[in-house]
Amino acid sequence: MNELSLRVDDRAGSGHALQSNILGWADLSAGRLLRSSRALRRNDSSRNGYHRVSQDERFMAHALELAERGRGFVSPNPMVGACIVKYGRLIGQGYHACFGSAHAEIMALRQSGGLVRGATMYVTLEPCSTYGKTPPCVEAIREAKIKRVVIATMDPNPSHAGRGRTILKRYGIQVTTGVLRRAAEVQIEAYSKWMRTGVPFVILKMAQSLDGKIASRTGESKWISGSRARKWVHDLRASCDAVLVGRNTVAADDPLLTVRNGKCRKSPWRIILDRSGTCSPKARVFGEGAPTILACSERLMDEAARKFRRTKVTFCPLKVNQGRLDLAALLRCLGSIGITSLLVEGGGEVAWSFIDGRLVDKLVWIVAPKIVGGRDAKTSVEGLGFEAISEAARVRMIRMVLVGEDLVFEGRLDSTCFRESLNVKQG
């Protein structure tokens, strides 16, 4: 993977240049690291306009790398990484590997053995302070006699934010917060939105030709993007809790919607939008491989249930407004069962429905160096569209990378349907 990047001038603030290096892998998620900590070590100099990296930043970058290993396996928990340092040397490290397993702090303490007294712990997320599937990490840190704890970002749960930090300080432990904060916030952005709003973080992904086509005039769409980009999409899919398409995609492509990257042990939930229940029960997406939810009109629920009675599909009946399913209600339903991130992979009509409903948080656009043409060929965003250019959805660009011969563009939209506050107080 080649990265097209711009150098960040440290005159904008010393933390900004450093965070741009870290955000390289955190923003373009899909569980893939872009060697962030090694980049930090190379840039550990104030020469040539680069920010001099502190020890806290270097070890926090390592903790963020560790946390990334849990992507796709820990949901609905957040990814967390931790490492323990004594006299400038790494003596233990750990990460939250899967839902229900030991927390990152506990794994790091176990690896450190009896050497942790007086050491510093670096952790990407504020240590937990309540009993859940595991005891609170703040107690384990106190018992280990850790001298100092460095935290990247606070707990996004409004009812818990700051509690762990307060307890640690009460125990006489030095606490530093906000080291590589932005990178840590981006890493757990799906968990944060779900925790604050109850709905999943929505990523809209499209693969199109240079002239905006997602299929030829005959409907052929295999393959717009190259093999490396398609493999990258499987990594992206593996990092999400659920993937969504519409009935037209099911009818045209008969997709499996599973992860086939040769290394992932699980596939996301498969969500099918089919207002009238017209999909064939024999479609591959309703077979084995991953759980499937069919979102249909509540008025046609009984009919759809009879049609799909021989499958293991789960139904999500929704109201229909102006001929479209209530997607906001669908997101609330998915959030209620612990789905924190949703990858939308449908066609142009589905894309417009999510954009028009202001439900998209992030865009991932794959642009292939091909021109398809055709006035009747499908485009990446269809639907009614905006009447005026001034009304068009504004995209804030994050970055672009080359994946094989294809250009991957990543940007953000304001998901205004579920307003949230990202101003978690940092100490």
Side-chain angles (χ1 to χ4, degrees):
M1 180 184 294
N2 300 314
E3 180 180 356
L4 303 179
S5 61
L6 297 176
R7 175 180 161 190
V8 181
D9 196 320
D10 65 350
R11 288 175 295 181
S14 60
H16 294 169
L18 177 72
Q19 288 175 3
S20 294
N21 293 329
I22 294 294
L23 286 176
W25 59 262
D27 268 354
L28 199 65
S29 51
R32 179 170 293 187
L33 298 178
L34 297 183
R35 299 176 293 277
S36 58
S37 63
R38 276 175 280 174
L40 285 174
R41 293 188 184 97
R42 287 197 302 270
N43 295 342
D44 190 4
S45 172
S46 58
R47 292 173 298 176
N48 301 321
Y50 283 114
H51 165 64
R52 181 177 292 280
V53 180
S54 69
Q55 177 172 292
D56 282 354
E57 291 166 332
R58 183 181 299 109
F59 284 115
M60 187 61 75
H62 181 61
L64 286 164
E65 269 194 10
L66 292 169
E68 192 69 19
R69 297 179 188 179
R71 186 178 291 277
F73 298 100
V74 301
S75 183
N77 284 348
M79 292 171 282
V80 184
C83 60
I84 299 175
V85 176
K86 192 170 185 180
Y87 303 128
R89 296 182 59 186
L90 183 69
I91 62 172
Q93 63 183 32
Y95 66 97
H96 187 37
C98 62
F99 180 71
S101 68
H103 288 190
E105 300 94 320
I106 304 303
M107 298 299 292
L109 287 170
R110 288 175 181 172
Q111 192 181 93
S112 302
L115 304 174
V116 297
R117 185 184 181 100
T120 297
M121 173 180 285
Y122 295 86
V123 60
T124 59
L125 183 65
E126 179 183 17
C128 64
S129 56
T130 57
Y131 282 87
K133 287 184 174 293
T134 60
C137 290
V138 290
E139 298 300 329
I141 293 171
R142 177 183 64 85
E143 292 173 3
K145 293 183 170 47
I146 291 287
K147 181 179 180 180
R148 178 174 177 250
V149 176
V150 181
I151 302 169
T153 189
M154 307 306 291
D155 192 329
N157 185 340
S159 62
H160 292 170
R163 286 182 55 182
R165 174 184 59 187
T166 300
I167 293 172
L168 291 173
K169 287 184 176 180
R170 187 185 307 151
Y171 290 151
I173 298 171
Q174 300 173 29
V175 179
T176 301
T177 62
V179 177
L180 301 191
R181 176 180 61 84
R182 178 57 183 156
E185 287 178 344
V186 170
Q187 188 175 62
I188 61 167
E189 60 190 355
Y191 171 79
S192 295
K193 183 188 177 185
W194 176 72
M195 179 57 66
R196 292 166 179 165
T197 67
V199 300
F201 186 86
V202 177
I203 303 171
L204 175 60
K205 188 275 299 181
M206 273 291 167
Q208 67 171 49
S209 63
L210 198 60
D211 56 339
K213 307 298 183 180
I214 61 173
S216 70
R217 59 184 175 83
T218 63
E220 181 183 347
S221 61
K222 295 182 180 178
W223 295 101
I224 292 289
S225 56
S227 59
R228 288 185 62 184
R230 294 198 301 274
K231 183 179 182 299
W232 180 87
V233 167
H234 278 280
D235 290 339
L236 175 62
R237 192 181 286 175
S239 74
C240 295
D241 294 340
V243 57
L244 179 148
V245 299
R247 64 181 180 182
N248 292 336
T249 297
V250 173
D253 300 337
D254 194 19
L256 281 170
L257 298 183
T258 53
V259 174
R260 301 181 300 281
N261 59 4
K263 58 186 178 182
C264 184
R265 299 190 296 272
K266 79 166 189 69
S267 289
W269 285 74
R270 301 174 292 194
I271 317 299
I272 310 301
L273 297 181
D274 187 5
R275 183 188 64 193
S276 304
T278 57
C279 285
S280 169
K282 295 182 180 180
R284 297 195 297 171
V285 75
F286 299 114
E288 300 295 331
T292 304
I293 294 176
L294 181 68
C296 63
S297 167
E298 59 183 10
R299 292 187 177 183
L300 300 173
M301 172 66 188
D302 292 340
E303 181 180 336
R306 287 192 296 270
K307 182 177 180 179
F308 288 89
R309 66 185 181 278
R310 297 185 185 278
T311 70
K312 295 181 180 180
V313 67
T314 300
F315 294 93
C316 180
L318 300 170
K319 293 184 181 298
V320 176
N321 299 319
Q322 299 181 336
R324 296 194 309 201
L325 292 172
D326 187 345
L327 297 180
L330 172 63
L331 293 182
R332 286 190 289 268
C333 175
L334 297 180
S336 70
I337 62 173
I339 291 177
T340 67
S341 56
L342 174 66
L343 179 63
V344 178
E345 291 195 51
E349 294 293 337
V350 170
W352 168 252
S353 295
F354 274 87
I355 292 172
D356 187 42
R358 301 183 185 277
L359 302 172
V360 179
D361 297 291
K362 182 182 288 186
L363 297 171
V364 176
W365 236 248
I366 302 170
V367 181
K370 301 172 183 176
I371 296 178
V372 177
R375 65 176 61 89
D376 297 324
K378 293 290 186 181
T379 58
S380 53
V381 182
E382 298 191 330
L384 183 62
F386 295 105
E387 290 186 1
I389 297 298
S390 60
E391 299 173 353
R394 290 282 182 175
V395 180
R396 290 180 289 118
M397 182 176 137
I398 298 174
R399 56 182 257 137
M400 292 185 291
V401 295
L402 282 173
V403 181
E405 62 180 10
D406 301 315
L407 182 66
V408 178
F409 167 89
E410 185 179 2
R412 289 185 182 275
L413 287 175
D414 288 327
S415 176
T416 56
C417 185
F418 301 102
R419 181 57 66 187
E420 58 180 320
S421 171
L422 292 178
N423 297 319
V424 179
K425 184 178 180 180
Q426 303 290 328

